[in-house]
Amino acid sequence: MSDFRVERVDYGTALPDLRAIRDVVFVQEQRVPVEIERDALDAACTHVLARDAEGRPIGTGRLAPNGKIGRMAVLGDWRGRGVGRAMLLQLLDAARESGLSDVMLHAQVDAERFYAADGFLPIGERFEEAGIVHQEMHRTLDRPAPVDNAAQAIAAVVGIATNTRRAMVVYSREMDPGLLDQTDVITALRRVATRGGEIRLLLQDVEAPQRAHAPLIAIAQRLSSAFSIRVIDEPVDLTYPSAFVANDTGGWYFRPLGHRVDGETQLDGAARVRQLRTVFDSAWERARPATELRALGI
């Protein structure tokens, strides 16, 4: 049983509790001027409030009518315990119920990975707001989102890996330099492996990542019970132009051209995952084990 709960609240009734949290986190901790923290939009927003088992307020966030999520704040003692994600999921539900097709937010840069885990992709350059560096991030609701650049590709893979329950597949040309070798991606894949998950990686070219000393090779070597790697030999499979990542909870990221990052992604697209798994499983059965990597202990 959770030691906290999250609920939507009436703004007027809950205002003292909302401000008690936001004043501590934004005004006191982050030195945001109170006249910036408190704005005229507050009364028009949908607010969620997290309370501990004794009913004390511990976190809050809001959804504006235009789909902007903001004022996400959790008291220090409760950070890292799932409160922020529970509030975010409530706000996403509220957005869907309001008929919104997209939501967006301004994430403090150290929270980008947190929002990527729930399908938010970065848009544009970082900027300063209230003296703090932020990144604009967007999330589509119940439909695929376009991926146009490397930063969005990294966020997409992080989200898919974070939401993997037990199994994840990666169909790649040559272990995707610039994507599968990035720190956030490596960290997310390692977490899948260390919590008992399975990652199957299917390559068209095994020599290129070997020459580049791709960091994922070393990770797979250390976590050999979680990683399986095969190499495509069949001509019919070598002509396949695309690449993709998919998990067992409906998350996928598909690139029509495997040497490019642009494509589409979604965290709740189970039907598309089934299509991609059919492609993957067929090619996997025809592929050979990556014996070149086994020589290194894999």
Side-chain angles (χ1 to χ4, degrees):
M1 184 175 180
S2 177
D3 53 356
F4 67 88
R5 68 181 189 277
V6 177
E7 58 190 1
R8 297 181 209 176
V9 294
D10 174 74
Y11 172 70
T13 304
L15 182 57
D17 289 338
L18 301 177
R19 285 186 173 172
I21 298 165
R22 284 160 47 172
D23 284 353
V24 169
V25 174
F26 297 125
V27 179
Q28 296 178 26
E29 292 184 12
Q30 300 183 0
R31 307 295 184 187
V32 176
V34 69
E35 60 270 18
I36 294 179
E37 199 290 313
R38 299 179 183 179
D39 63 14
L41 187 60
D42 240 1
C45 293
T46 298
H47 294 263
V48 296
L49 186 66
R51 299 182 184 275
D52 67 13
E54 282 72 48
R56 293 173 296 219
I58 58 173
T60 188
R62 76 181 192 184
L63 171 69
N66 66 354
K68 182 178 181 181
I69 290 173
R71 300 303 193 271
M72 291 282 290
V74 178
L75 295 182
D77 289 345
W78 285 87
R79 291 169 196 162
R81 299 168 65 176
V83 177
R85 185 160 194 264
M87 295 193 305
L88 181 61
L89 293 178
Q90 282 262 13
L91 292 171
L92 291 175
D93 286 343
R96 292 186 183 95
E97 292 171 17
S98 298
L100 292 167
S101 59
D102 303 86
V103 293
M104 58 87 66
L105 51 82
H106 291 171
Q108 295 183 17
V109 293
D110 58 357
E112 284 186 60
R113 189 186 303 169
F114 167 79
Y115 290 111
D118 278 294
F120 285 83
L121 303 180
I123 301 291
E125 301 296 324
R126 291 177 174 179
F127 60 93
E128 190 171 293
E129 186 174 69
I132 301 170
V133 180
H134 285 74
Q135 173 66 58
E136 183 172 327
M137 303 185 78
H138 287 237
R139 159 92 193 252
T140 59
L141 300 176
D142 304 319
R143 74 181 193 282
V147 175
D148 298 320
N149 55 53
Q152 293 175 348
I154 291 168
V157 177
V158 167
I160 292 166
T162 302
N163 286 277
T164 297
R165 184 177 294 117
R166 290 284 301 174
M168 180 175 174
V169 298
V170 181
Y171 194 126
S172 172
R173 298 175 72 85
E174 52 185 43
M175 216 171 276
D176 290 309
L179 179 59
L180 297 183
D181 56 0
Q182 297 302 295
T183 300
D184 283 354
V185 172
I186 290 289
T187 299
L189 294 176
R190 185 188 290 113
R191 285 176 178 162
V192 174
T194 55
R195 66 171 183 254
E198 176 196 17
I199 300 171
R200 289 194 290 164
L201 182 61
L202 189 56
L203 302 175
Q204 288 188 352
D205 178 358
V206 71
E207 294 180 1
Q210 279 185 298
R211 290 194 301 268
H213 302 288
L216 195 56
I217 293 177
I219 299 296
Q221 179 179 356
R222 290 195 294 270
L223 299 170
S224 58
S225 62
F227 282 87
S228 299
I229 303 177
R230 290 190 180 183
V231 183
I232 291 170
D233 272 343
E234 294 290 332
V236 64
D237 296 320
L238 287 171
T239 61
Y240 184 70
S242 306
F244 56 84
V245 179
N247 68 12
D248 55 357
T249 62
W252 59 271
Y253 164 38
F254 178 80
R255 295 174 284 150
L257 298 177
H259 64 285
R260 298 168 59 102
V261 297
D262 49 302
E264 288 187 318
T265 187
Q266 189 176 14
L267 282 185
D268 50 3
R272 182 60 169 143
V273 167
R274 287 193 292 271
Q275 295 173 345
L276 295 175
R277 283 299 302 267
T278 297
V279 173
F280 185 93
D281 291 344
S282 296
W284 181 265
E285 290 303 315
R286 292 188 291 269
R288 64 173 176 82
T291 54
E292 301 91 331
L293 304 182
R294 281 185 179 175
L296 300 176
I298 296 179

